């Protein structure tokens, strides 16, 4: 059995990386999560929250709409009057709570659209609502009211007026008072608009490093995978398939057990940048236009870029983000050539194509293993894919396909359970 080492991950870098990934879903409101985190931080400091509570609040704020999986979900939540206490809040809660260190932020996110109702909103569906949820709601709504293209200080009075009008009914009066006091400081508003470098916020907060075992790390990677794949039932199991195929090919290419675990993680995260591709395009039942394809092509660039803050993941990032590079230099987005592409990247490339061809897509059923292999083998002959990896695939074709099918079936099952649990939570009587 392989050694169980622990990984040290700077918690805030992780939150930052996820927040940036989440912000990619709706470029129209880029940086909404960063701004909400900044406002929540100001409010938390103003209310003198203990350090641990402040950290949970800021983490929740940086990720609060993670459950809004499509651009449409996101846009409706950005209407100031949006008041649905279920929907994306419940989805976000379920996603985040699967990673134990995010348990508290998950609980905060769950209730971030519950109105105060003059005190009745302290409990929702029989569950006590954390005060931080109400504070997050306030931070979120303030963030929405700011027009970042105009001078922010000139907007303070009108923003306060709109918030004040719903104090008691929607917002907690003591929290609104904290906002009124904080609002006197120009620096607070200027930070929200100009302090886009969230890592500065990280320094101010003095977040601790997170020591996590590799098993816990797998849980974290699964969180990333769900955020990527659960946007549509057609992609719900893609990354799990790529991970399983990469893992087994790596084993057959004599990777060590530790390296195999890493390539498994690279497979789970390879399409992280797909968050920048609207679900509407991912689900399109037919051929993409050249414009749509150009949008899809951005995704590996974003996978590379989003994981950059997490230095401990450097190798995983390279294996994951180069999966559309080709050894003849005609891949994207970096146009690397053979000697710049490590074996791990070449394996993930083959695994990605094999999985994509054999799985069902919105517009077609999956191909047979032999048909898929023929396409891959042709690509190897044209020196686009690594012939030695493709040869390994050929030798273990049936076993690889079984591993893929099994991994994808269980991921799909998990997706349906996730949707089912969300539906149950939403059906509870209010
Ligand atoms: Fe929200
Ligand atoms: Fe991809
Ligand atoms: Fe992929």
């Amino acid at each position: 059995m392989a050694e169980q080492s622990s990984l040290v991950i700077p918690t805030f870098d992780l939150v930052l990386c996820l927040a940036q990934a989440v912000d990619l879903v709706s470029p129209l409101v880029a940086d909404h999560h960063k701004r909400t985190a900044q406002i929540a931080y100001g409010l938390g400091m103003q209310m003198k929250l203990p350090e641990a509570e402040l950290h949970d609040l800021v983490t929740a704020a940086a990720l609060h709409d993670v459950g809004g999986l499509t651009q449409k979900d996101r846009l409706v939540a950005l209407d100031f009057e949006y008041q649905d206490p279920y929907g994306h809040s419940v989805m976000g809660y379920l996603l985040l709570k699967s990673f134990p260190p995010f348990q508290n932020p998950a609980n905060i996110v769950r209730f971030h659209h519950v109105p105060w109702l003059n005190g009745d909103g302290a409990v929702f569906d029989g569950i006590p609502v954390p005060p931080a949820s109400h504070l997050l709601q306030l931070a979120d709504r303030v963030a929405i009211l700011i027009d970042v293209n105009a001078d922010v200080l000139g907007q303070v009075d009108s923003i306060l007026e709109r918030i004040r009008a719903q104090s008691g009914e929607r917002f907690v009066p003591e929290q609104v008072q904290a906002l009124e006091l904080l609002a006197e400081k120009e620096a607070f508003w200027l930070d929200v608009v100009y302090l886009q470098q969230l890592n500065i916020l990280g320094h101010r907060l003095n977040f601790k490093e997170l020591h996590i075992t590799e098993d816990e790390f797998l849980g974290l990677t699964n969180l990333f995978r769900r955020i990527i794949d659960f946007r549509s039932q057609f992609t719900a199991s893609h990354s799990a398939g790529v991970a399983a195929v990469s893992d087994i090919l790596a084993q057959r290419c004599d990777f060590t057990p530790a390296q195999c675990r890493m390539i498994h993680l690279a497979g789970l995260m390879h399409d992280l940048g797909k968050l920048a591709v609207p679900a509407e395009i991912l689900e399109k039942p037919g051929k993409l236009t050249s414009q749509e394809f150009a949008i899809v092509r951005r995704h590996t660039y974003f996978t590379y870029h989003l994981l950059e803050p997490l230095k401990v993941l450097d190798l995983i990032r390279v294996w994951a983000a180069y999966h559309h590079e080709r050894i003849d230099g005609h891949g994207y987005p970096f146009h690397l050539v053979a000697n710049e592409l490590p074996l791990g990247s070449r394996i993930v490339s083959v695994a990605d194509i094999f999985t994509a061809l054999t799985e069902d897509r919105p517009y077609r059923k999956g191909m047979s293993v032999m048909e898929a292999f023929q396409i891959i083998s042709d690509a190897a002959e044209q020196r686009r894919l690594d012939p030695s990896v493709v040869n390994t695939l050929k030798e273990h074709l049936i076993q690889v396909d079984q591993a893929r099918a099994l991994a994808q079936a269980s991921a799909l099952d998990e997706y349906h359970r996730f949707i089912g649990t969300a539906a149950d939570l939403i059906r509870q009587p209010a």
Side-chain angles (χ1 to χ4, degrees):
M1 193 50 209
E3 71 293 349
Q4 261 291 332
S5 50
S6 106
L7 282 170
V8 180
I9 297 194
T11 314
F12 200 76
D13 291 353
L14 174 66
V15 173
L16 174 66
C17 162
L18 276 166
Q20 279 174 335
V22 171
D23 267 340
L24 275 182
V25 174
S26 42
L28 287 179
V29 282
D31 297 330
H32 171 68
H33 285 83
K34 289 193 204 177
R35 275 196 282 276
T36 306
Q38 195 69 249
I39 297 169
Y41 166 75
L43 285 167
M45 290 292 282
Q46 181 70 36
M47 299 198 72
K48 300 197 169 52
L49 293 189
E51 191 180 60
E53 284 179 34
L54 186 64
H55 288 189
D56 288 338
L57 170 68
V58 173
T59 302
L63 305 173
H64 66 279
D65 282 342
V66 66
L69 299 174
T70 65
Q71 233 185 90
K72 203 171 118 247
D73 286 348
R74 285 295 167 74
L75 291 176
V76 289
L78 287 166
D79 176 351
F80 180 71
E81 296 304 337
Y82 177 88
Q83 302 225 19
D84 179 3
Y86 294 112
H88 73 268
S89 323
V90 170
M91 300 287 265
Y93 157 73
L94 290 176
L95 283 169
L96 293 175
K97 90 177 177 108
S98 62
F99 179 53
F102 284 170
Q103 188 63 53
N104 291 338
N107 287 330
I108 296 171
V109 164
R110 179 173 183 178
F111 300 109
H112 80 274
H113 287 290
V114 171
W116 181 240
L117 300 176
N118 298 307
D120 287 352
V123 175
F124 189 73
D125 283 347
I127 306 164
V129 174
S133 297
H134 290 292
L135 202 52
L136 170 55
Q137 166 153 233
L138 181 60
D140 180 30
R141 295 300 101 178
V142 171
I144 283 169
L145 290 175
I146 297 174
D147 174 1
V148 285
N149 297 313
D151 167 47
V152 64
L153 298 178
Q155 304 170 47
V156 174
D157 288 343
S158 64
I159 291 174
L160 289 179
E161 216 170 285
R162 292 206 50 192
I163 297 289
R164 224 179 270 133
Q166 297 197 35
S167 178
E169 186 52 36
R170 187 169 187 193
F171 305 116
V172 180
E174 295 76 52
Q175 296 180 348
V176 174
Q177 273 158 24
L179 174 68
E180 303 247 17
L181 287 172
L182 182 61
E184 291 171 12
K185 298 177 188 165
E186 289 85 353
F188 163 68
W189 298 100
L190 295 171
D191 273 354
V192 173
V193 177
Y194 295 109
L195 202 75
Q196 289 304 316
Q197 301 293 344
L198 260 195
N199 46 359
I200 297 180
L201 183 56
H203 292 315
R204 289 187 187 173
L205 277 163
N206 191 22
F207 263 85
K208 305 273 176 302
E209 281 177 330
L210 200 60
H211 290 252
I212 55 179
T213 63
E214 286 200 22
D215 277 350
E216 287 171 324
F217 185 62
L218 180 65
L220 174 64
T221 326
N222 273 315
L223 169 64
F224 277 93
R225 174 179 65 79
R226 291 189 187 108
I227 295 172
I228 303 160
D229 281 1
F230 282 11
R231 297 173 72 206
S232 142
Q233 66 162 321
F234 296 110
T235 60
S237 65
H238 174 70
S239 305
V242 175
V245 174
S246 301
D247 193 336
I248 194 161
L249 288 176
Q251 289 171 35
R252 303 295 172 246
C253 290
D254 294 328
F255 275 41
T256 65
Q259 289 172 323
C260 289
R261 282 200 300 277
M262 279 170 64
I263 207 164
H264 192 98
L265 301 175
L268 294 178
M269 305 220 265
H270 76 287
D271 274 342
L272 180 60
K274 282 246 170 98
L275 291 172
V277 181
E280 293 74 9
I281 293 183
L282 295 178
E283 293 190 347
K284 184 174 173 185
K287 234 178 152 21
L288 299 180
T289 66
S290 61
Q291 238 174 354
E292 288 165 339
F293 189 59
I295 293 175
V296 171
R297 275 213 312 243
R298 301 190 300 206
H299 79 278
T300 38
Y301 169 80
F302 283 116
T303 299
Y304 187 87
H305 178 62
L306 286 167
L307 294 174
E308 229 170 348
L310 295 173
K311 288 283 160 241
V312 289
L313 302 189
D314 267 356
L315 192 54
I316 292 180
R317 173 167 64 105
V318 161
W319 288 352
Y322 292 168
H323 70 270
H324 288 294
E325 299 293 333
R326 295 291 175 255
I327 53 178
D328 63 1
H330 287 107
Y332 64 84
F334 299 109
H335 294 249
L336 301 175
V337 290
N339 63 2
E340 296 168 303
L341 290 170
L343 183 56
S345 309
R346 300 166 186 221
I347 290 176
V348 178
S349 293
V350 171
D352 181 46
I353 300 180
F354 182 73
T355 306
L357 293 175
T358 49
E359 71 193 352
D360 293 336
R361 286 290 170 100
Y363 46 91
R364 58 149 173 79
K365 290 289 284 175
M367 275 179 200
S368 76
V369 179
M370 290 321 291
E371 279 175 302
F373 182 75
Q374 195 52 53
I375 291 176
I376 290 172
S377 154
D378 291 348
E381 242 158 63
Q382 296 159 16
R383 314 277 318 158
R384 291 175 58 69
L385 295 173
D386 184 329
S388 73
V389 177
V390 173
N391 222 11
T392 308
L393 172 65
K394 185 180 180 183
E395 282 166 24
H396 305 279
L397 196 55
I398 299 306
Q399 190 195 2
V400 167
D401 190 54
Q402 280 169 350
R404 173 200 65 79
L406 203 69
Q408 292 200 281
S410 93
L412 203 60
D413 206 49
E414 184 199 314
Y415 169 76
H416 288 302
R417 263 182 286 132
F418 178 86
I419 297 293
T421 313
D424 285 348
L425 288 178
I426 290 169
R427 261 197 303 270
Q428 274 184 26

